[in-house]
Amino acid sequence: LALTSLFLLFTSCFVSALKDECSSWTYYTLDSAHRNIEMAEESTPCLNNFDGVPIDWWCTDTSGYHNTSPDWNMAGIWGDEPSWFRVMPPAGTQLISKAPGEKKCGTMAAGWVDGAHPEVEGERVDRVVYFDFDNNSKYNQAPVKITHCGDYFVYFLEEAPEWDLGYCTSY
């Protein structure tokens, strides 16, 4: 009985260490391959909404609900902006932490996290995402909260400050 009580105490402490945002009910997913820094620019067949002509550097997530990406029209399905997001394959598993250069990750100005991701499960950190454009790795910025959820991270992302800025990912 004592061993069972100890096990229940341990598991309840372990489970309670995870934040609410780690529940799959509370986050959207960023899962489009064009977001991944390793994706070749010419392999992102995104279409211009005006004339249907492919443009390789400008895309948004279109899987799942329409326009749930945080890049430039992040109303979310319930109008709950900003929101929590999880990066999932084929996009990768996390936002990048190094300036990628412009016209990468399916956007004109790719966003990257300045600072380390949290290392301890349940830990949350505040960081800044900078957007790399016009030979300026810190051209524009947006705040981000990052939570370590065990096997993955979730990000509290605001809508990008301009329409041609997007969040960049990797494995």
Side-chain angles (χ1 to χ4, degrees), residues 30-33 35-36 86-94 169-171:
L30 301 178
D31 58 3
S32 294
R35 293 186 172 282
N36 193 297
R86 177 181 174 185
V87 179
M88 297 183 69
T93 56
Q94 63 186 26
T169 61
S170 68
Y171 284 98

Side-chain angles (χ1 to χ4, degrees), residues 29-47 55-63 67-72 87-92 94 96 100 103-111 163-171:
T29 58
L30 301 178
D31 58 3
S32 294
H34 74 269
R35 293 186 172 282
N36 193 297
I37 188 65
E38 299 299 323
M39 183 64 68
E41 287 183 51
E42 64 275 3
S43 66
T44 55
C46 300
L47 297 179
I55 42 179
D56 296 332
W57 51 264
W58 184 59
C59 302
T60 60
D61 289 290
T62 55
S63 62
N67 283 333
T68 58
S69 80
D71 300 319
W72 57 277
V87 179
M88 297 183 69
Q94 63 186 26
I96 64 169
K103 294 186 181 177
K104 302 287 185 187
C105 303
T107 188
M108 194 68 149
W163 71 270
D164 53 356
L165 281 59
Y167 294 94
C168 193
T169 61
S170 68
Y171 284 98

Side-chain angles (χ1 to χ4, degrees), residues 35-38 94-105 107 109-117 127-133 136-139 144 146 155 166-171:
R35 293 186 172 282
N36 193 297
I37 188 65
E38 299 299 323
Q94 63 186 26
L95 296 182
I96 64 169
S97 298
K98 183 174 115 178
E102 65 182 73
K103 294 186 181 177
K104 302 287 185 187
C105 303
T107 188
W112 57 281
V113 175
D114 186 23
H117 281 65
R127 297 286 184 256
V128 173
V129 171
Y130 288 103
F131 297 90
D132 194 343
F133 180 67
N136 181 354
S137 63
K138 295 183 177 180
Y139 169 79
V144 61
I146 307 170
Y155 303 86
Y167 294 94
C168 193
T169 61
S170 68
Y171 284 98

